[in-house]
Amino acid sequence: MSEEKAYWYVVHTYSGYENKVKANLEKAVENRGLQDYIVEVKVPMEDTIEIKNGKRKTVARKVYPGYVMVKMILTDESWYVVRNTRGVTGFVGPGSRPIPLSDEEVRMTGVEDVPIVLDVEVGQTVTITNGPLENFVGVIEEINKERQKLRVSVNMFGRETMVELDFIQVRRV
């Protein structure tokens, strides 16, 4: 297997063909033995509640109609296989080479949980970058790497208050 890292790419498809593209691509990967290069194919779905004839019904719908997410190591062959899958109109991105999603974009799209690497220690000072306490400064009291959470002591209204924050909500001072 290649030592390169697989990245998420967005593939544009004909509308309504997302699941066919996923199935066709998975079959092509299997037939050509490209499992080490095209790692995963996803059609992001979310549950929504529809009300029809007065009845509530939970329905899974596509989060990004017309798009399929592909996690792969970009090589000429993997690019060719995806590009030439029936129903695919192309990769999303400028120019001829596809551009991978950044970790932040992967997190935002919800395709995969990308752990945040935060280089901090208990006792260090951090600035809160978003949420109701944005721009407040606090001291780290506890770090939970598995849950990607911090407990931070923040001085509010003249007294110390303990708040729990996600790694993504803080920046090291």
Side-chain angles (χ1 to χ4, degrees):
M1 167 145 178
S2 172
E3 290 302 307
E4 289 183 68
K5 183 178 183 323
Y7 292 97
W8 283 101
Y9 294 86
V10 180
V11 177
H12 191 260
T13 69
Y14 292 121
S15 194
Y17 277 72
E18 302 88 354
N19 292 329
K20 279 191 184 90
V21 165
K22 180 181 187 311
N24 289 342
L25 191 49
E26 286 170 345
K27 188 179 239 54
V29 166
E30 195 177 311
N31 291 344
R32 290 172 174 252
L34 290 174
Q35 294 85 343
D36 288 347
Y37 293 96
I38 299 175
V39 181
E40 196 173 347
V41 182
K42 272 192 176 179
V43 179
M45 304 291 275
E46 69 181 359
D47 287 339
T48 57
I49 294 173
E50 287 183 1
I51 299 173
K52 270 193 183 161
N53 304 327
K55 289 192 171 89
R56 289 169 63 100
K57 189 170 137 187
T58 303
V59 178
R61 72 171 187 83
K62 294 176 186 90
V63 180
Y64 305 107
Y67 297 94
V68 172
M69 310 298 187
V70 180
K71 186 173 189 175
M72 66 182 205
I73 295 169
L74 190 62
T75 64
D76 288 341
E77 189 176 11
S78 65
W79 180 84
Y80 178 86
V81 167
V82 173
R83 180 73 190 84
N84 290 294
T85 298
R86 192 198 318 255
V88 170
T89 59
F91 282 91
V92 173
S96 59
R97 283 306 251 189
I99 306 293
L101 293 177
S102 67
D103 284 352
E104 180 67 22
E105 289 167 326
V106 170
R107 256 191 241 66
M108 284 172 30
T109 58
V111 177
E112 180 178 65
D113 287 333
V114 179
I116 298 165
V117 178
L118 190 60
D119 185 23
V120 293
E121 295 171 13
V122 170
Q124 285 185 320
T125 304
V126 291
T127 301
I128 300 171
T129 56
N130 68 14
L133 301 176
E134 188 172 349
N135 296 325
F136 273 76
V137 174
V139 177
I140 299 172
E141 299 293 334
E142 193 181 309
I143 301 171
N144 185 330
K145 285 192 162 102
E146 293 78 41
R147 290 183 52 230
Q148 301 263 299
K149 300 270 188 196
L150 297 170
R151 287 180 53 80
V152 177
S153 177
V154 179
N155 190 333
M156 285 194 311
F157 313 117
R159 55 186 236 223
E160 294 297 312
T161 305
M162 200 61 82
V163 292
E164 187 174 77
L165 300 165
D166 293 324
F167 279 12
I168 201 163
Q169 290 180 281
V170 298
R171 182 182 69 242
R172 196 169 143 185
V173 176

PDB file of all heavy atoms in Angstrom, residues 122-148:
ATOM      1  N   VAL A 122      -2.411  21.711  30.365  1.00  0.00           N
ATOM      2  CA  VAL A 122      -3.119  22.251  31.520  1.00  0.00           C
ATOM      3  C   VAL A 122      -2.285  23.401  32.079  1.00  0.00           C
ATOM      4  O   VAL A 122      -1.061  23.317  32.175  1.00  0.00           O
ATOM      5  CB  VAL A 122      -3.359  21.154  32.579  1.00  0.00           C
ATOM      6  CG1 VAL A 122      -3.870  21.752  33.879  1.00  0.00           C
ATOM      7  CG2 VAL A 122      -4.328  20.094  32.055  1.00  0.00           C
ATOM      8  N   GLY A 123      -2.975  24.506  32.401  1.00  0.00           N
ATOM      9  CA  GLY A 123      -2.290  25.672  32.959  1.00  0.00           C
ATOM     10  C   GLY A 123      -1.996  26.749  31.923  1.00  0.00           C
ATOM     11  O   GLY A 123      -1.699  27.889  32.274  1.00  0.00           O
ATOM     12  N   GLN A 124      -2.099  26.380  30.623  1.00  0.00           N
ATOM     13  CA  GLN A 124      -1.841  27.379  29.588  1.00  0.00           C
ATOM     14  C   GLN A 124      -3.065  28.272  29.374  1.00  0.00           C
ATOM     15  O   GLN A 124      -4.195  27.879  29.653  1.00  0.00           O
ATOM     16  CB  GLN A 124      -1.470  26.713  28.264  1.00  0.00           C
ATOM     17  CG  GLN A 124      -0.062  26.168  28.256  1.00  0.00           C
ATOM     18  CD  GLN A 124       0.326  25.608  26.896  1.00  0.00           C
ATOM     19  OE1 GLN A 124      -0.471  24.970  26.226  1.00  0.00           O
ATOM     20  NE2 GLN A 124       1.572  25.831  26.505  1.00  0.00           N
ATOM     21  N   THR A 125      -2.812  29.450  28.834  1.00  0.00           N
ATOM     22  CA  THR A 125      -3.873  30.415  28.564  1.00  0.00           C
ATOM     23  C   THR A 125      -4.333  30.278  27.112  1.00  0.00           C
ATOM     24  O   THR A 125      -3.516  30.119  26.209  1.00  0.00           O
ATOM     25  CB  THR A 125      -3.346  31.847  28.810  1.00  0.00           C
ATOM     26  OG1 THR A 125      -2.841  31.903  30.140  1.00  0.00           O
ATOM     27  CG2 THR A 125      -4.442  32.877  28.667  1.00  0.00           C
ATOM     28  N   VAL A 126      -5.659  30.330  26.919  1.00  0.00           N
ATOM     29  CA  VAL A 126      -6.240  30.259  25.577  1.00  0.00           C
ATOM     30  C   VAL A 126      -7.248  31.382  25.396  1.00  0.00           C
ATOM     31  O   VAL A 126      -7.819  31.883  26.370  1.00  0.00           O
ATOM     32  CB  VAL A 126      -6.936  28.904  25.301  1.00  0.00           C
ATOM     33  CG1 VAL A 126      -5.934  27.776  25.202  1.00  0.00           C
ATOM     34  CG2 VAL A 126      -8.010  28.595  26.325  1.00  0.00           C
ATOM     35  N   THR A 127      -7.467  31.767  24.140  1.00  0.00           N
ATOM     36  CA  THR A 127      -8.509  32.727  23.789  1.00  0.00           C
ATOM     37  C   THR A 127      -9.645  31.944  23.165  1.00  0.00           C
ATOM     38  O   THR A 127      -9.415  31.062  22.323  1.00  0.00           O
ATOM     39  CB  THR A 127      -7.977  33.756  22.767  1.00  0.00           C
ATOM     40  OG1 THR A 127      -6.866  34.428  23.337  1.00  0.00           O
ATOM     41  CG2 THR A 127      -9.051  34.772  22.397  1.00  0.00           C
ATOM     42  N   ILE A 128     -10.869  32.258  23.548  1.00  0.00           N
ATOM     43  CA  ILE A 128     -12.049  31.597  22.981  1.00  0.00           C
ATOM     44  C   ILE A 128     -12.354  32.286  21.650  1.00  0.00           C
ATOM     45  O   ILE A 128     -12.476  33.515  21.593  1.00  0.00           O
ATOM     46  CB  ILE A 128     -13.235  31.658  23.963  1.00  0.00           C
ATOM     47  CG1 ILE A 128     -12.835  30.944  25.268  1.00  0.00           C
ATOM     48  CG2 ILE A 128     -14.477  31.024  23.342  1.00  0.00           C
ATOM     49  CD1 ILE A 128     -13.815  31.106  26.410  1.00  0.00           C
ATOM     50  N   THR A 129     -12.438  31.494  20.564  1.00  0.00           N
ATOM     51  CA  THR A 129     -12.551  32.070  19.224  1.00  0.00           C
ATOM     52  C   THR A 129     -13.975  32.125  18.687  1.00  0.00           C
ATOM     53  O   THR A 129     -14.225  32.815  17.708  1.00  0.00           O
ATOM     54  CB  THR A 129     -11.682  31.271  18.227  1.00  0.00           C
ATOM     55  OG1 THR A 129     -12.072  29.894  18.270  1.00  0.00           O
ATOM     56  CG2 THR A 129     -10.209  31.402  18.567  1.00  0.00           C
ATOM     57  N   ASN A 130     -14.904  31.362  19.296  1.00  0.00           N
ATOM     58  CA  ASN A 130     -16.295  31.494  18.855  1.00  0.00           C
ATOM     59  C   ASN A 130     -17.247  31.027  19.941  1.00  0.00           C
ATOM     60  O   ASN A 130     -16.838  30.456  20.941  1.00  0.00           O
ATOM     61  CB  ASN A 130     -16.554  30.770  17.525  1.00  0.00           C
ATOM     62  CG  ASN A 130     -16.456  29.271  17.614  1.00  0.00           C
ATOM     63  OD1 ASN A 130     -16.438  28.680  18.687  1.00  0.00           O
ATOM     64  ND2 ASN A 130     -16.392  28.627  16.468  1.00  0.00           N
ATOM     65  N   GLY A 131     -18.518  31.310  19.756  1.00  0.00           N
ATOM     66  CA  GLY A 131     -19.508  30.983  20.779  1.00  0.00           C
ATOM     67  C   GLY A 131     -19.816  32.208  21.626  1.00  0.00           C
ATOM     68  O   GLY A 131     -19.320  33.302  21.372  1.00  0.00           O
ATOM     69  N   PRO A 132     -20.651  32.036  22.654  1.00  0.00           N
ATOM     70  CA  PRO A 132     -21.075  33.175  23.476  1.00  0.00           C
ATOM     71  C   PRO A 132     -19.934  33.846  24.248  1.00  0.00           C
ATOM     72  O   PRO A 132     -20.054  35.005  24.631  1.00  0.00           O
ATOM     73  CB  PRO A 132     -22.112  32.579  24.433  1.00  0.00           C
ATOM     74  CG  PRO A 132     -21.952  31.109  24.350  1.00  0.00           C
ATOM     75  CD  PRO A 132     -21.295  30.790  23.047  1.00  0.00           C
ATOM     76  N   LEU A 133     -18.843  33.131  24.470  1.00  0.00           N
ATOM     77  CA  LEU A 133     -17.719  33.708  25.231  1.00  0.00           C
ATOM     78  C   LEU A 133     -16.562  34.121  24.315  1.00  0.00           C
ATOM     79  O   LEU A 133     -15.416  34.215  24.760  1.00  0.00           O
ATOM     80  CB  LEU A 133     -17.229  32.699  26.275  1.00  0.00           C
ATOM     81  CG  LEU A 133     -18.272  32.237  27.293  1.00  0.00           C
ATOM     82  CD1 LEU A 133     -17.695  31.181  28.198  1.00  0.00           C
ATOM     83  CD2 LEU A 133     -18.783  33.414  28.098  1.00  0.00           C
ATOM     84  N   GLU A 134     -16.868  34.385  23.048  1.00  0.00           N
ATOM     85  CA  GLU A 134     -15.840  34.757  22.085  1.00  0.00           C
ATOM     86  C   GLU A 134     -15.003  35.930  22.608  1.00  0.00           C
ATOM     87  O   GLU A 134     -15.535  36.862  23.202  1.00  0.00           O
ATOM     88  CB  GLU A 134     -16.499  35.161  20.755  1.00  0.00           C
ATOM     89  CG  GLU A 134     -15.514  35.381  19.648  1.00  0.00           C
ATOM     90  CD  GLU A 134     -16.188  35.583  18.286  1.00  0.00           C
ATOM     91  OE1 GLU A 134     -17.404  35.356  18.170  1.00  0.00           O
ATOM     92  OE2 GLU A 134     -15.480  35.978  17.358  1.00  0.00           O
ATOM     93  N   ASN A 135     -13.697  35.834  22.409  1.00  0.00           N
ATOM     94  CA  ASN A 135     -12.698  36.830  22.827  1.00  0.00           C
ATOM     95  C   ASN A 135     -12.386  36.807  24.319  1.00  0.00           C
ATOM     96  O   ASN A 135     -11.546  37.570  24.776  1.00  0.00           O
ATOM     97  CB  ASN A 135     -13.083  38.253  22.379  1.00  0.00           C
ATOM     98  CG  ASN A 135     -13.110  38.345  20.867  1.00  0.00           C
ATOM     99  OD1 ASN A 135     -12.307  37.708  20.187  1.00  0.00           O
ATOM    100  ND2 ASN A 135     -14.048  39.110  20.341  1.00  0.00           N
ATOM    101  N   PHE A 136     -13.046  35.974  25.111  1.00  0.00           N
ATOM    102  CA  PHE A 136     -12.678  35.821  26.522  1.00  0.00           C
ATOM    103  C   PHE A 136     -11.380  35.026  26.573  1.00  0.00           C
ATOM    104  O   PHE A 136     -11.097  34.203  25.702  1.00  0.00           O
ATOM    105  CB  PHE A 136     -13.757  35.059  27.305  1.00  0.00           C
ATOM    106  CG  PHE A 136     -14.857  35.928  27.847  1.00  0.00           C
ATOM    107  CD1 PHE A 136     -15.852  36.417  27.012  1.00  0.00           C
ATOM    108  CD2 PHE A 136     -14.910  36.252  29.198  1.00  0.00           C
ATOM    109  CE1 PHE A 136     -16.868  37.204  27.508  1.00  0.00           C
ATOM    110  CE2 PHE A 136     -15.924  37.046  29.706  1.00  0.00           C
ATOM    111  CZ  PHE A 136     -16.907  37.529  28.855  1.00  0.00           C
ATOM    112  N   VAL A 137     -10.604  35.237  27.616  1.00  0.00           N
ATOM    113  CA  VAL A 137      -9.357  34.507  27.820  1.00  0.00           C
ATOM    114  C   VAL A 137      -9.531  33.650  29.063  1.00  0.00           C
ATOM    115  O   VAL A 137     -10.150  34.090  30.041  1.00  0.00           O
ATOM    116  CB  VAL A 137      -8.173  35.502  28.001  1.00  0.00           C
ATOM    117  CG1 VAL A 137      -6.895  34.767  28.357  1.00  0.00           C
ATOM    118  CG2 VAL A 137      -7.976  36.319  26.737  1.00  0.00           C
ATOM    119  N   GLY A 138      -9.014  32.428  29.014  1.00  0.00           N
ATOM    120  CA  GLY A 138      -9.135  31.535  30.158  1.00  0.00           C
ATOM    121  C   GLY A 138      -7.921  30.644  30.307  1.00  0.00           C
ATOM    122  O   GLY A 138      -7.053  30.597  29.431  1.00  0.00           O
ATOM    123  N   VAL A 139      -7.886  29.934  31.415  1.00  0.00           N
ATOM    124  CA  VAL A 139      -6.781  29.026  31.708  1.00  0.00           C
ATOM    125  C   VAL A 139      -7.304  27.590  31.631  1.00  0.00           C
ATOM    126  O   VAL A 139      -8.344  27.268  32.210  1.00  0.00           O
ATOM    127  CB  VAL A 139      -6.197  29.313  33.120  1.00  0.00           C
ATOM    128  CG1 VAL A 139      -5.101  28.311  33.461  1.00  0.00           C
ATOM    129  CG2 VAL A 139      -5.661  30.735  33.197  1.00  0.00           C
ATOM    130  N   ILE A 140      -6.576  26.724  30.932  1.00  0.00           N
ATOM    131  CA  ILE A 140      -6.976  25.320  30.773  1.00  0.00           C
ATOM    132  C   ILE A 140      -6.821  24.594  32.107  1.00  0.00           C
ATOM    133  O   ILE A 140      -5.754  24.615  32.714  1.00  0.00           O
ATOM    134  CB  ILE A 140      -6.133  24.619  29.692  1.00  0.00           C
ATOM    135  CG1 ILE A 140      -6.336  25.295  28.343  1.00  0.00           C
ATOM    136  CG2 ILE A 140      -6.480  23.137  29.615  1.00  0.00           C
ATOM    137  CD1 ILE A 140      -5.400  24.797  27.265  1.00  0.00           C
ATOM    138  N   GLU A 141      -7.905  23.963  32.555  1.00  0.00           N
ATOM    139  CA  GLU A 141      -7.896  23.184  33.791  1.00  0.00           C
ATOM    140  C   GLU A 141      -7.853  21.685  33.498  1.00  0.00           C
ATOM    141  O   GLU A 141      -7.369  20.903  34.300  1.00  0.00           O
ATOM    142  CB  GLU A 141      -9.139  23.508  34.633  1.00  0.00           C
ATOM    143  CG  GLU A 141      -9.252  24.969  35.055  1.00  0.00           C
ATOM    144  CD  GLU A 141      -8.177  25.407  36.032  1.00  0.00           C
ATOM    145  OE1 GLU A 141      -7.645  24.554  36.762  1.00  0.00           O
ATOM    146  OE2 GLU A 141      -7.853  26.613  36.039  1.00  0.00           O
ATOM    147  N   GLU A 142      -8.420  21.281  32.347  1.00  0.00           N
ATOM    148  CA  GLU A 142      -8.534  19.858  32.027  1.00  0.00           C
ATOM    149  C   GLU A 142      -8.601  19.696  30.510  1.00  0.00           C
ATOM    150  O   GLU A 142      -9.211  20.511  29.824  1.00  0.00           O
ATOM    151  CB  GLU A 142      -9.827  19.337  32.670  1.00  0.00           C
ATOM    152  CG  GLU A 142      -9.984  17.851  32.722  1.00  0.00           C
ATOM    153  CD  GLU A 142     -11.327  17.476  33.377  1.00  0.00           C
ATOM    154  OE1 GLU A 142     -11.623  17.976  34.475  1.00  0.00           O
ATOM    155  OE2 GLU A 142     -12.058  16.694  32.752  1.00  0.00           O
ATOM    156  N   ILE A 143      -7.980  18.623  29.982  1.00  0.00           N
ATOM    157  CA  ILE A 143      -8.001  18.332  28.545  1.00  0.00           C
ATOM    158  C   ILE A 143      -8.510  16.912  28.353  1.00  0.00           C
ATOM    159  O   ILE A 143      -8.012  15.982  28.976  1.00  0.00           O
ATOM    160  CB  ILE A 143      -6.585  18.449  27.934  1.00  0.00           C
ATOM    161  CG1 ILE A 143      -6.024  19.860  28.134  1.00  0.00           C
ATOM    162  CG2 ILE A 143      -6.616  18.074  26.452  1.00  0.00           C
ATOM    163  CD1 ILE A 143      -4.562  19.997  27.754  1.00  0.00           C
ATOM    164  N   ASN A 144      -9.523  16.748  27.488  1.00  0.00           N
ATOM    165  CA  ASN A 144     -10.030  15.421  27.156  1.00  0.00           C
ATOM    166  C   ASN A 144      -9.854  15.223  25.651  1.00  0.00           C
ATOM    167  O   ASN A 144     -10.685  15.660  24.856  1.00  0.00           O
ATOM    168  CB  ASN A 144     -11.510  15.296  27.566  1.00  0.00           C
ATOM    169  CG  ASN A 144     -12.040  13.895  27.361  1.00  0.00           C
ATOM    170  OD1 ASN A 144     -11.581  13.172  26.471  1.00  0.00           O
ATOM    171  ND2 ASN A 144     -13.014  13.513  28.159  1.00  0.00           N
ATOM    172  N   LYS A 145      -8.739  14.571  25.264  1.00  0.00           N
ATOM    173  CA  LYS A 145      -8.413  14.409  23.836  1.00  0.00           C
ATOM    174  C   LYS A 145      -9.422  13.524  23.105  1.00  0.00           C
ATOM    175  O   LYS A 145      -9.743  13.768  21.951  1.00  0.00           O
ATOM    176  CB  LYS A 145      -7.009  13.833  23.685  1.00  0.00           C
ATOM    177  CG  LYS A 145      -5.938  14.863  23.960  1.00  0.00           C
ATOM    178  CD  LYS A 145      -4.573  14.369  23.520  1.00  0.00           C
ATOM    179  CE  LYS A 145      -3.606  15.496  23.376  1.00  0.00           C
ATOM    180  NZ  LYS A 145      -2.661  15.720  24.392  1.00  0.00           N
ATOM    181  N   GLU A 146      -9.937  12.485  23.782  1.00  0.00           N
ATOM    182  CA  GLU A 146     -10.890  11.564  23.136  1.00  0.00           C
ATOM    183  C   GLU A 146     -12.162  12.301  22.724  1.00  0.00           C
ATOM    184  O   GLU A 146     -12.683  12.101  21.645  1.00  0.00           O
ATOM    185  CB  GLU A 146     -11.267  10.392  24.059  1.00  0.00           C
ATOM    186  CG  GLU A 146     -10.139   9.433  24.348  1.00  0.00           C
ATOM    187  CD  GLU A 146      -9.151   9.961  25.386  1.00  0.00           C
ATOM    188  OE1 GLU A 146      -9.579  10.563  26.387  1.00  0.00           O
ATOM    189  OE2 GLU A 146      -7.935   9.796  25.161  1.00  0.00           O
ATOM    190  N   ARG A 147     -12.679  13.143  23.616  1.00  0.00           N
ATOM    191  CA  ARG A 147     -13.918  13.878  23.330  1.00  0.00           C
ATOM    192  C   ARG A 147     -13.653  15.207  22.631  1.00  0.00           C
ATOM    193  O   ARG A 147     -14.592  15.912  22.275  1.00  0.00           O
ATOM    194  CB  ARG A 147     -14.692  14.138  24.630  1.00  0.00           C
ATOM    195  CG  ARG A 147     -15.294  12.873  25.231  1.00  0.00           C
ATOM    196  CD  ARG A 147     -16.125  13.151  26.477  1.00  0.00           C
ATOM    197  NE  ARG A 147     -17.127  14.188  26.268  1.00  0.00           N
ATOM    198  CZ  ARG A 147     -17.298  15.253  27.078  1.00  0.00           C
ATOM    199  NH1 ARG A 147     -16.559  15.418  28.146  1.00  0.00           N
ATOM    200  NH2 ARG A 147     -18.226  16.135  26.810  1.00  0.00           N
ATOM    201  N   GLN A 148     -12.350  15.576  22.484  1.00  0.00           N
ATOM    202  CA  GLN A 148     -11.956  16.837  21.857  1.00  0.00           C
ATOM    203  C   GLN A 148     -12.555  18.027  22.621  1.00  0.00           C
ATOM    204  O   GLN A 148     -13.086  18.964  22.038  1.00  0.00           O
ATOM    205  CB  GLN A 148     -12.414  16.871  20.387  1.00  0.00           C
ATOM    206  CG  GLN A 148     -11.842  15.754  19.531  1.00  0.00           C
ATOM    207  CD  GLN A 148     -10.619  16.177  18.756  1.00  0.00           C
ATOM    208  OE1 GLN A 148     -10.671  17.071  17.953  1.00  0.00           O
ATOM    209  NE2 GLN A 148      -9.512  15.533  19.025  1.00  0.00           N
TER     210      GLN A 148
END
